Amino acid sequence: MSGEGQELTDETLLERVAARDRHAFDVLVARHQASLFRFVRGLCRSEADAEDSLQETFVTLWRRGTRDDAAPIEHARGYLFQVARHAAFRRGRRRAAEPATFEGERTLAQLGAEAGWGQAEVNPERYAQYRESADALARALARLREDEREVLVLRDVEGLSGDETAEALGLSRAAMKSRLHRARLRLMAELREVAP
Amino acid sequence: MKNDRQEGGLWCHEVLADLADYVDGELDDARRAQVEAHVAACDNCARFGGAYGEMVASVSRAAPDVPDQVADRLRRALDEQLG
Ligand SMILES: [Zn+2]
């Protein structure tokens, strides 16, 4: 990919895509393909489904972005992850839906206790070690429920803003934040079982 | 919560509820100062809050790149479908 256009924001690139600028589109593809692929890979049952979802996402972006009658796309990243998520879900989820729990959602205090609040071994030094331990993190992430994993992947792994994450998941900002906090506590609990 | 205590005007369970906003820099200055006063006086919240923050920082590094073949196939598919 030649360097031109790299410094432009997603929103500026989208304006150019609306004028059928294929180069601007290719810059967007290069910029977002890795994070979108990681995201759909976590949602799909197979690598092939993930690739199809990735391709469909960018085709949708181009068609939507160049349509004369469509409302402009405001936040490229939130939009892209939203499209990718739907594309992945149409190809079937990685696992069957979780069984309904009749005990209801756990309270924050319960989640905190399971994450090790008050336990001596839950300390910053231990958790800093996971920086060098992508495998341990991936294993713990795989043990989360899908709704927990996707909010954590978008916000913390891929670094989307709070607004982008909420848009991608179709949640209000408050609902997204609550789910994110609970997902992080669940990951802390899972990491207690996985050595750094 | 066992050993829930009040320091800096907040209980441990209130600090727990605010951890995400604290780590994400979304607390207002007054609330942030209260959380910090609590954590300075409470070992349990200091350890747990520190672990939470380190975990969030660690997760952001767990992102592998897209395989070359996947990127190549994507480029070819887009060329075919978009012309
Ligand atoms: Zn405390």
Side-chain angles (χ1 to χ4, degrees):
Chain A
M1 170 80 36
S2 67
E4 203 192 334
Q6 306 290 348
E7 73 293 349
L8 299 175
T9 65
D10 287 346
E11 285 65 34
T12 303
L13 289 166
L14 277 174
E15 285 171 20
R16 297 192 179 184
V17 168
R20 295 179 170 69
D21 178 342
R22 180 62 198 273
H23 178 74
F25 177 78
D26 288 342
V27 175
L28 282 170
V29 171
R31 186 177 290 173
H32 297 296
Q33 60 180 4
S35 56
L36 285 166
F37 183 68
R38 287 190 296 263
F39 177 58
V40 293
R41 187 65 196 90
L43 299 179
C44 290
R45 271 178 297 214
S46 70
E47 185 112 353
D49 280 353
E51 281 195 48
D52 287 347
S53 302
L54 181 69
Q55 293 170 10
E56 182 183 324
T57 301
F58 284 114
V59 170
T60 303
L61 176 73
W62 175 259
R63 297 208 168 128
R64 172 90 162 70
T66 54
R67 236 169 62 199
D68 294 328
D69 58 337
I73 296 159
E74 277 183 58
H75 304 106
R77 265 205 315 181
Y79 173 81
L80 280 169
F81 279 91
Q82 188 187 81
V83 171
R85 182 168 178 261
H86 289 142
F89 284 173
R90 263 199 305 284
R91 286 170 174 82
R93 313 257 175 144
R94 183 175 182 167
R95 298 179 192 163
E98 299 293 325
T101 48
F102 295 99
E103 72 225 58
E105 287 279 345
R106 299 213 278 301
T107 65
L108 267 193
Q110 284 171 313
L111 289 172
E114 287 163 15
W117 188 91
Q119 305 295 319
E121 83 275 9
V122 176
N123 56 58
E125 294 72 28
R126 176 189 158 104
Y127 283 78
Q129 293 178 56
Y130 290 108
R131 284 178 194 231
E132 311 305 328
S133 185
D135 280 357
L137 282 169
R139 260 180 293 145
L141 265 174
R143 288 160 69 162
L144 297 186
R145 249 173 25 201
E146 184 179 273
D147 62 324
E148 297 167 337
R149 188 169 55 239
E150 65 177 358
V151 69
L152 215 142
V153 165
L154 289 174
R155 185 77 173 94
D156 291 339
V157 179
E158 303 303 342
L160 269 66
S161 71
D163 286 333
E164 288 169 336
T165 305
E167 181 178 352
L169 297 177
L171 294 174
S172 71
R173 196 161 148 89
M176 183 283 297
K177 280 167 64 163
S178 162
R179 193 183 288 184
L180 175 66
H181 187 32
R182 299 173 67 89
R184 286 169 173 172
L185 292 172
R186 286 275 304 114
L187 183 62
M188 273 182 91
E190 292 295 347
L191 281 171
R192 293 179 74 192
E193 313 293 325
V194 180
Chain B
M1 233 161 124
K2 224 172 87 188
N3 301 322
D4 198 4
R5 49 193 273 221
Q6 197 176 22
E7 298 284 355
L10 293 179
W11 291 88
C12 296
H13 74 269
E14 297 176 298
V15 172
L16 176 64
D18 274 354
L19 261 189
D21 283 342
Y22 180 79
V23 166
D24 295 334
E26 294 185 1
L27 291 181
D28 63 43
D29 291 349
R31 186 71 173 193
R32 183 177 188 85
Q34 275 188 305
V35 169
E36 284 171 355
H38 179 102
V39 166
C42 175
D43 281 348
N44 280 336
C45 286
R47 259 198 333 273
F48 191 81
Y52 183 102
E54 287 294 347
M55 185 194 73
V56 171
S58 299
V59 167
S60 69
R61 305 189 172 203
D65 212 347
V66 63
D68 285 345
Q69 320 90 277
V70 172
D72 289 345
R73 282 195 290 268
L74 172 63
R75 195 162 37 244
R76 279 201 303 276
L78 292 174
D79 284 344
E80 264 171 42
Q81 295 188 53
L82 308 183

